[in-house]
Amino acid sequence: MTHTANPPKIVLGFESSCDETGVALCTTEGRILGQALYSQIAMHKDYGGVVPELASRDHIRRLIPLMEETLAQAGIAMKQVDAIAVTTGPGLPGALMAGCSFAYSLAMGLNLPVIPVHHLEGHLLSPLLSINPPAFPFTALLVSGGHTQLMGVERLGQYSLLGETLDDAAGEAFDKTAKMIGLPYPGGPALSKLAESGNPERFKLPRPMLHSGDYMFSFSGLKTAVLTTAMKLAGVSQPSETMVISDTDKADLAASFQAAIVETLVKKALAACLQQDHKRLVVAGGVGANKLLREQLEKAARKRGVEVYFPELSLCTDNGAMIAFAGAMQLAGKPELLNSRDYGMHTRPRCELASTQPVFSNP
Ligand code: KG4
Ligand code: ZN
């Protein structure tokens, strides 16, 4: 990486904002030394979604074993760690509290600095961890379970919000639509898998705000259109969890929904990128794992001379590596953070990335 504190420092990072506990070690040169991840999907599956209280309790259970696994994998002793990075927001309040209480206590006990990390900055920077990382500047499409945003990224720490969703996030729309047609949580991967066998042109679903002339999104109308179509197919006048729809209808509905959401994301992301005069478009967040989105973006971008960058598939959804990396990059750009001993813990369940202060003075 470009920002190198001399000699390289080691950052131990923790992620616990939702339903994944992630721990990783990253150097200020941007090298991941070790990482471990535990996904709570199996635990939440029975409830059809994330149960916040269960999530917090499980993070508490996983943090220490994952940390030990990460250190052992990297062959690094705790005394070699120079700083602790942790996701302070946005996310589920209890889940954030679990990770932050642990990370801050550990830092205080070891007399190490804490580097608070914005979860979305972790996602945003995750493509920089791939073999072919993008150079700055670029436009980023952040598509996760909680967020859908287009950001202009001039350099590390300098982000401007170009547009975002007015209601549901793209991942949330995938999850809710999947639930409507009886697919298991998490809906995104299940729906996109089913869509592979469906006809994306069978149902004409809306592409909300496609021609709004800005970079805003809205997905709740699309979700309602799926519900109305599902009710028609099931021959019922009231929505219910027991609507009976044939497998073919379900697959066609899934494919039509996915086509609508992907078309909107692709068109808006590319328009924002061209308007910013950027030659690179970066996609991050869980929905970035979607195959159709990847294919369509590549295709549309190639036509306009724009290059698209994705994180490694394993780094699309929440993980510790992106948080350790974002923390390490903060430290690389601002080595004086090593002297900070601010243990005033502030979790921020809701917070904007673009409003956070740039931390790098040097591109
Ligand atoms: O980034 P992430 O792990 O968590 C948040 O920070 O929200 O994203 C999770 C979201 C979920 O809504 C999940 O359904 C969606 O990403 N997702 C997908 C796919 N894989 C994960 N959505 C569509 N297609 C996929 N292949
Ligand atoms: Zn996330």
Side-chain angles (χ1 to χ4, degrees):
M1 288 309 301
T2 40
H3 300 279
T4 308
N6 204 6
K9 301 292 176 206
I10 297 177
V11 175
L12 175 62
F14 295 96
E15 156 63 30
S16 77
S17 65
C18 190
D19 56 347
E20 264 99 20
T21 323
V23 183
L25 283 160
C26 184
T27 69
T28 40
E29 290 171 323
R31 200 155 61 87
I32 298 292
L33 303 175
Q35 57 178 310
L37 183 70
Y38 182 82
S39 168
Q40 303 176 351
I41 284 178
M43 182 178 76
H44 297 296
K45 216 173 189 130
D46 290 346
Y47 304 91
V50 179
V51 184
E53 180 59 24
L54 293 182
S56 324
R57 286 167 190 249
D58 204 63
H59 287 307
I60 294 169
R61 238 187 325 260
R62 308 287 169 194
L63 281 159
I64 293 177
L66 289 172
M67 180 181 75
E68 285 171 346
E69 188 184 331
T70 303
L71 290 164
Q73 196 189 93
I76 295 283
M78 191 62 104
K79 61 175 186 300
Q80 292 173 265
V81 172
D82 297 293
I84 305 283
V86 61
T87 304
T88 51
L92 298 171
L96 290 169
M97 284 292 281
C100 285
S101 312
F102 178 73
Y104 273 80
S105 314
L106 183 72
M108 206 187 282
L110 298 171
N111 190 28
L112 291 175
V114 180
I115 305 173
V117 174
H118 193 290
H119 181 77
L120 293 185
E121 184 171 28
H123 276 303
L124 196 67
L125 300 183
S126 59
L128 298 179
L129 283 169
S130 56
I131 297 160
N132 173 29
F136 296 105
F138 55 78
T139 297
L141 172 66
L142 272 175
V143 269
S144 71
H147 291 83
T148 297
Q149 297 188 332
L150 277 163
M151 306 278 261
V153 179
E154 290 310 311
R155 55 187 173 186
L156 277 165
Q158 192 171 327
Y159 315 119
S160 55
L161 185 65
L162 307 174
E164 63 184 334
T165 181
L166 295 170
D167 39 56
D168 290 348
E172 189 180 359
F174 264 98
D175 292 341
K176 288 179 176 169
T177 304
K179 201 170 177 179
M180 268 180 226
I181 56 174
L183 297 175
Y185 159 87
L191 190 143
S192 58
K193 184 145 200 327
L194 179 64
E196 282 174 20
S197 60
N199 172 6
E201 286 166 16
R202 164 131 177 244
F203 301 108
K204 302 279 166 265
L205 297 174
R207 271 79 171 145
M209 302 188 73
L210 190 59
H211 303 293
S212 61
D214 55 20
Y215 307 116
M216 305 304 278
F217 301 91
S218 165
F219 297 118
S220 70
L222 174 58
K223 187 187 64 192
T224 310
V226 172
L227 181 63
T228 327
T229 312
M231 282 161 53
K232 251 188 232 154
L233 290 168
V236 296
S237 55
Q238 291 293 324
S240 89
E241 289 198 357
T242 51
M243 285 189 293
V244 181
I245 311 167
S246 76
D247 288 348
T248 312
D249 287 348
K250 270 189 197 175
D252 290 348
L253 201 45
S256 303
F257 165 80
Q258 183 176 247
I261 205 160
V262 164
E263 184 182 337
T264 316
L265 291 173
V266 169
K267 291 217 164 123
K268 295 241 168 175
L270 208 60
C273 188
L274 293 170
Q275 192 251 348
Q276 294 289 298
D277 221 3
H278 287 161
K279 292 274 169 280
R280 289 166 290 269
L281 177 61
V282 163
V283 184
V287 184
N290 186 274
K291 218 167 121 195
L292 185 72
L293 177 65
R294 287 179 169 237
E295 285 167 7
Q296 297 291 319
L297 263 181
E298 294 267 17
K299 205 165 123 194
R302 206 175 307 124
K303 276 193 205 149
R304 307 300 299 265
V306 168
E307 211 166 331
V308 192
Y309 295 80
F310 300 96
E312 306 291 332
L313 268 181
S314 63
L315 296 183
C316 279
T317 43
D318 293 348
N319 62 85
M322 67 183 195
I323 302 305
F325 178 75
M329 291 304 98
Q330 282 196 43
L331 182 57
K334 216 175 168 191
E336 61 271 28
L337 284 176
L338 276 182
N339 304 323
S340 143
R341 293 295 181 272
D342 180 359
Y343 299 126
M345 185 181 106
H346 298 288
T347 53
R348 299 177 299 162
R350 295 176 77 87
C351 55
E352 300 296 335
L353 174 59
S355 65
T356 52
Q357 288 303 307
V359 287
F360 294 96
S361 47
N362 192 354

